[in-house]
Amino acid sequence: MDHSGHGMDMNMDLPPFTLGRGLEFSFDAFFLFGSLIALALYGWAVLRLRRRGDSWPLGRTVAFVVGVLTVMLVMCTKLNDYGMVMFSVHMVQHMVISMITPILVLLGAPVTLALRALPPAARGHKGPRELLLMLLHSRYMKVITHPAFTIPMFIASLYALYFTPLFDFLMESRTGHVAMMLHFLAVGLIFFWPIMGIDPGPHRPGYVMRMLELFAGMPFHAFFGIAVMMASQPMIKTYANPPSSLGIDPLLDQQWGGGIAWAFSEIPSVLVLIALVYQWYHSEQRAARRSDRAEERNGDKELEAYNSYLASLQARGQ
């Protein structure tokens, strides 16, 4: 198997896995530079708002930064090296980048920030802001963010990848591995985008529907994890013969990977539910305040009408 250029020539000599070894820095140009560019662009947009006197919630910035750091955590450390030869470590990478990273990044509202920070183009021209708006309202975006697409894609990313030869094919090269991780990230983003409902998008379902969409996908992760744990032999050729220096049993490592997939199915559910309940509560509070203001205005009108009516009666009496 050719892992040239991916640092995998050292994998045959990796010592037994420990958390300390896994968290050591390991250079990966694509994800390191991609993460730094994402942080720089977000920081530029926040500074642009601040300079013109507009505010941007600190919590949004923190969520986005932590989300990008989770990518660097699993892709720019030795976790990435161990993930090439240990199924359990790979599954940690997969779960983080497809379920934790997207939620945190979306809590950062990067699309909303971009729309507020990017300057409008001159009349008759199309700049980055106009192109972003065109993309948000395009038929393509309507399709890929629709639950009829996102939920099957979310599920297929597990079953169609790990239970077919496709996974082994992608793991044969650095390009294939990067493409697979990008796919996990993209699928997580389009799955959670309409559910989170923070950034503008083609689909803005109500809170109950968002929760239904969330729970429609999560059980399949649990089923996948259980299926992997119950397997009586290694299922994936890539991990069937780990380097002897690791000192691991591939079947036991696979069972650990299945357990990780099963456990992670609960984490995003809790995070998203907390976010949805928080949004729902504040939405109800805003609606109540609007209703109170409307009632105050209507009450003033009713009082004026009543006073006019009393005045007219008094005038008649005279």
PDB file of all heavy atoms in Angstrom, residues 8 10-11 18 24 84 96 119 127 139 154 193 195 201 244 283 288 316:
ATOM      1  N   MET A   8       3.344   8.214   6.047  1.00  0.00           N
ATOM      2  CA  MET A   8       2.982   6.884   6.502  1.00  0.00           C
ATOM      3  C   MET A   8       4.126   5.896   6.421  1.00  0.00           C
ATOM      4  O   MET A   8       4.006   4.760   6.859  1.00  0.00           O
ATOM      5  CB  MET A   8       1.786   6.354   5.696  1.00  0.00           C
ATOM      6  CG  MET A   8       0.493   7.103   5.969  1.00  0.00           C
ATOM      7  SD  MET A   8       0.060   7.124   7.743  1.00  0.00           S
ATOM      8  CE  MET A   8       0.447   8.793   8.185  1.00  0.00           C
ATOM      9  N   MET A  10       6.518   6.101   8.191  1.00  0.00           N
ATOM     10  CA  MET A  10       6.924   5.956   9.581  1.00  0.00           C
ATOM     11  C   MET A  10       5.941   5.108  10.384  1.00  0.00           C
ATOM     12  O   MET A  10       6.212   4.726  11.511  1.00  0.00           O
ATOM     13  CB  MET A  10       7.036   7.346  10.232  1.00  0.00           C
ATOM     14  CG  MET A  10       8.076   8.252   9.595  1.00  0.00           C
ATOM     15  SD  MET A  10       8.057   9.891  10.329  1.00  0.00           S
ATOM     16  CE  MET A  10       8.505   9.519  12.025  1.00  0.00           C
ATOM     17  N   ASN A  11       4.765   4.817   9.788  1.00  0.00           N
ATOM     18  CA  ASN A  11       3.742   4.115  10.543  1.00  0.00           C
ATOM     19  C   ASN A  11       4.162   2.717  10.957  1.00  0.00           C
ATOM     20  O   ASN A  11       3.693   2.192  11.959  1.00  0.00           O
ATOM     21  CB  ASN A  11       2.447   4.029   9.727  1.00  0.00           C
ATOM     22  CG  ASN A  11       1.618   5.296   9.882  1.00  0.00           C
ATOM     23  OD1 ASN A  11       1.841   6.080  10.789  1.00  0.00           O
ATOM     24  ND2 ASN A  11       0.674   5.485   8.987  1.00  0.00           N
ATOM     25  N   THR A  18      -0.532   5.869  22.867  1.00  0.00           N
ATOM     26  CA  THR A  18      -0.937   6.511  24.121  1.00  0.00           C
ATOM     27  C   THR A  18      -1.508   7.873  23.734  1.00  0.00           C
ATOM     28  O   THR A  18      -1.213   8.402  22.648  1.00  0.00           O
ATOM     29  CB  THR A  18       0.236   6.717  25.091  1.00  0.00           C
ATOM     30  OG1 THR A  18       1.181   7.635  24.498  1.00  0.00           O
ATOM     31  CG2 THR A  18       0.927   5.401  25.420  1.00  0.00           C
ATOM     32  N   GLU A  24       0.856  14.521  19.858  1.00  0.00           N
ATOM     33  CA  GLU A  24       2.052  15.193  19.345  1.00  0.00           C
ATOM     34  C   GLU A  24       1.782  15.776  17.963  1.00  0.00           C
ATOM     35  O   GLU A  24       1.009  15.213  17.182  1.00  0.00           O
ATOM     36  CB  GLU A  24       3.218  14.202  19.266  1.00  0.00           C
ATOM     37  CG  GLU A  24       3.741  13.742  20.627  1.00  0.00           C
ATOM     38  CD  GLU A  24       4.798  12.666  20.481  1.00  0.00           C
ATOM     39  OE1 GLU A  24       5.199  12.384  19.329  1.00  0.00           O
ATOM     40  OE2 GLU A  24       5.219  12.100  21.510  1.00  0.00           O
ATOM     41  N   MET A  84      -4.181   5.910  10.480  1.00  0.00           N
ATOM     42  CA  MET A  84      -3.952   5.156   9.248  1.00  0.00           C
ATOM     43  C   MET A  84      -3.755   3.664   9.509  1.00  0.00           C
ATOM     44  O   MET A  84      -3.881   2.855   8.597  1.00  0.00           O
ATOM     45  CB  MET A  84      -2.727   5.710   8.511  1.00  0.00           C
ATOM     46  CG  MET A  84      -2.876   7.133   8.023  1.00  0.00           C
ATOM     47  SD  MET A  84      -4.163   7.356   6.774  1.00  0.00           S
ATOM     48  CE  MET A  84      -3.401   6.573   5.348  1.00  0.00           C
ATOM     49  N   VAL A  96     -15.253  13.069  15.193  1.00  0.00           N
ATOM     50  CA  VAL A  96     -15.005  14.468  15.539  1.00  0.00           C
ATOM     51  C   VAL A  96     -15.243  15.364  14.331  1.00  0.00           C
ATOM     52  O   VAL A  96     -15.975  16.366  14.403  1.00  0.00           O
ATOM     53  CB  VAL A  96     -13.567  14.662  16.075  1.00  0.00           C
ATOM     54  CG1 VAL A  96     -13.210  16.150  16.161  1.00  0.00           C
ATOM     55  CG2 VAL A  96     -13.432  14.015  17.444  1.00  0.00           C
ATOM     56  N   PRO A 119     -18.350  43.616   1.529  1.00  0.00           N
ATOM     57  CA  PRO A 119     -18.970  44.832   0.988  1.00  0.00           C
ATOM     58  C   PRO A 119     -19.793  44.518  -0.261  1.00  0.00           C
ATOM     59  O   PRO A 119     -19.425  43.639  -1.041  1.00  0.00           O
ATOM     60  CB  PRO A 119     -17.758  45.708   0.631  1.00  0.00           C
ATOM     61  CG  PRO A 119     -16.659  44.721   0.359  1.00  0.00           C
ATOM     62  CD  PRO A 119     -16.906  43.564   1.278  1.00  0.00           C
ATOM     63  N   GLY A 127     -19.902  40.793  -6.827  1.00  0.00           N
ATOM     64  CA  GLY A 127     -18.734  40.543  -5.997  1.00  0.00           C
ATOM     65  C   GLY A 127     -18.920  39.282  -5.170  1.00  0.00           C
ATOM     66  O   GLY A 127     -19.894  38.535  -5.344  1.00  0.00           O
ATOM     67  N   ARG A 139     -30.605  26.348  -6.849  1.00  0.00           N
ATOM     68  CA  ARG A 139     -31.296  25.062  -6.815  1.00  0.00           C
ATOM     69  C   ARG A 139     -30.382  23.980  -6.238  1.00  0.00           C
ATOM     70  O   ARG A 139     -30.834  23.081  -5.528  1.00  0.00           O
ATOM     71  CB  ARG A 139     -31.742  24.672  -8.227  1.00  0.00           C
ATOM     72  CG  ARG A 139     -32.542  23.383  -8.284  1.00  0.00           C
ATOM     73  CD  ARG A 139     -33.049  23.115  -9.683  1.00  0.00           C
ATOM     74  NE  ARG A 139     -33.971  24.157 -10.117  1.00  0.00           N
ATOM     75  CZ  ARG A 139     -34.535  24.178 -11.323  1.00  0.00           C
ATOM     76  NH1 ARG A 139     -34.233  23.234 -12.212  1.00  0.00           N
ATOM     77  NH2 ARG A 139     -35.380  25.135 -11.652  1.00  0.00           N
ATOM     78  N   PHE A 154     -25.883  11.239   5.088  1.00  0.00           N
ATOM     79  CA  PHE A 154     -25.297  11.084   6.414  1.00  0.00           C
ATOM     80  C   PHE A 154     -25.161   9.604   6.767  1.00  0.00           C
ATOM     81  O   PHE A 154     -24.146   9.164   7.304  1.00  0.00           O
ATOM     82  CB  PHE A 154     -26.192  11.801   7.429  1.00  0.00           C
ATOM     83  CG  PHE A 154     -25.567  11.995   8.778  1.00  0.00           C
ATOM     84  CD1 PHE A 154     -24.474  12.828   8.940  1.00  0.00           C
ATOM     85  CD2 PHE A 154     -26.099  11.376   9.897  1.00  0.00           C
ATOM     86  CE1 PHE A 154     -23.901  13.026  10.185  1.00  0.00           C
ATOM     87  CE2 PHE A 154     -25.541  11.575  11.152  1.00  0.00           C
ATOM     88  CZ  PHE A 154     -24.443  12.404  11.292  1.00  0.00           C
ATOM     89  N   TRP A 193     -26.561  21.926   9.155  1.00  0.00           N
ATOM     90  CA  TRP A 193     -26.856  23.318   8.803  1.00  0.00           C
ATOM     91  C   TRP A 193     -28.344  23.656   8.964  1.00  0.00           C
ATOM     92  O   TRP A 193     -28.701  24.573   9.723  1.00  0.00           O
ATOM     93  CB  TRP A 193     -26.365  23.585   7.379  1.00  0.00           C
ATOM     94  CG  TRP A 193     -26.515  24.991   6.887  1.00  0.00           C
ATOM     95  CD1 TRP A 193     -26.992  26.069   7.586  1.00  0.00           C
ATOM     96  CD2 TRP A 193     -26.178  25.473   5.594  1.00  0.00           C
ATOM     97  NE1 TRP A 193     -26.969  27.197   6.798  1.00  0.00           N
ATOM     98  CE2 TRP A 193     -26.479  26.857   5.571  1.00  0.00           C
ATOM     99  CE3 TRP A 193     -25.651  24.888   4.457  1.00  0.00           C
ATOM    100  CZ2 TRP A 193     -26.276  27.647   4.441  1.00  0.00           C
ATOM    101  CZ3 TRP A 193     -25.442  25.673   3.324  1.00  0.00           C
ATOM    102  CH2 TRP A 193     -25.747  27.033   3.317  1.00  0.00           C
ATOM    103  N   ILE A 195     -30.591  21.971  10.507  1.00  0.00           N
ATOM    104  CA  ILE A 195     -31.036  21.594  11.851  1.00  0.00           C
ATOM    105  C   ILE A 195     -30.682  22.687  12.856  1.00  0.00           C
ATOM    106  O   ILE A 195     -31.503  23.067  13.700  1.00  0.00           O
ATOM    107  CB  ILE A 195     -30.422  20.244  12.273  1.00  0.00           C
ATOM    108  CG1 ILE A 195     -30.984  19.107  11.407  1.00  0.00           C
ATOM    109  CG2 ILE A 195     -30.684  19.957  13.753  1.00  0.00           C
ATOM    110  CD1 ILE A 195     -30.330  17.767  11.647  1.00  0.00           C
ATOM    111  N   GLY A 201     -30.324  29.864   4.955  1.00  0.00           N
ATOM    112  CA  GLY A 201     -30.217  28.751   4.016  1.00  0.00           C
ATOM    113  C   GLY A 201     -31.546  28.512   3.337  1.00  0.00           C
ATOM    114  O   GLY A 201     -32.569  29.103   3.716  1.00  0.00           O
ATOM    115  N   SER A 244       3.329  -4.656  13.892  1.00  0.00           N
ATOM    116  CA  SER A 244       3.575  -5.394  15.129  1.00  0.00           C
ATOM    117  C   SER A 244       4.050  -4.479  16.253  1.00  0.00           C
ATOM    118  O   SER A 244       3.859  -4.788  17.432  1.00  0.00           O
ATOM    119  CB  SER A 244       4.609  -6.499  14.881  1.00  0.00           C
ATOM    120  OG  SER A 244       5.814  -5.940  14.377  1.00  0.00           O
ATOM    121  N   SER A 283     -36.451  32.646  20.941  1.00  0.00           N
ATOM    122  CA  SER A 283     -37.441  32.966  19.906  1.00  0.00           C
ATOM    123  C   SER A 283     -38.794  33.255  20.539  1.00  0.00           C
ATOM    124  O   SER A 283     -39.484  34.213  20.162  1.00  0.00           O
ATOM    125  CB  SER A 283     -37.554  31.803  18.920  1.00  0.00           C
ATOM    126  OG  SER A 283     -38.574  32.047  17.977  1.00  0.00           O
ATOM    127  N   ALA A 288     -42.893  37.033  22.451  1.00  0.00           N
ATOM    128  CA  ALA A 288     -43.691  37.567  23.558  1.00  0.00           C
ATOM    129  C   ALA A 288     -43.515  39.071  23.683  1.00  0.00           C
ATOM    130  O   ALA A 288     -44.488  39.809  23.921  1.00  0.00           O
ATOM    131  CB  ALA A 288     -43.287  36.875  24.861  1.00  0.00           C
ATOM    132  N   ARG A 316     -73.337  65.067  23.727  1.00  0.00           N
ATOM    133  CA  ARG A 316     -74.763  64.899  23.476  1.00  0.00           C
ATOM    134  C   ARG A 316     -75.586  65.320  24.690  1.00  0.00           C
ATOM    135  O   ARG A 316     -76.675  65.882  24.559  1.00  0.00           O
ATOM    136  CB  ARG A 316     -75.057  63.427  23.133  1.00  0.00           C
ATOM    137  CG  ARG A 316     -74.568  62.996  21.781  1.00  0.00           C
ATOM    138  CD  ARG A 316     -74.818  61.511  21.587  1.00  0.00           C
ATOM    139  NE  ARG A 316     -74.112  60.991  20.452  1.00  0.00           N
ATOM    140  CZ  ARG A 316     -74.021  59.697  20.164  1.00  0.00           C
ATOM    141  NH1 ARG A 316     -74.585  58.792  20.970  1.00  0.00           N
ATOM    142  NH2 ARG A 316     -73.335  59.290  19.097  1.00  0.00           N
TER     143      ARG A 316
END
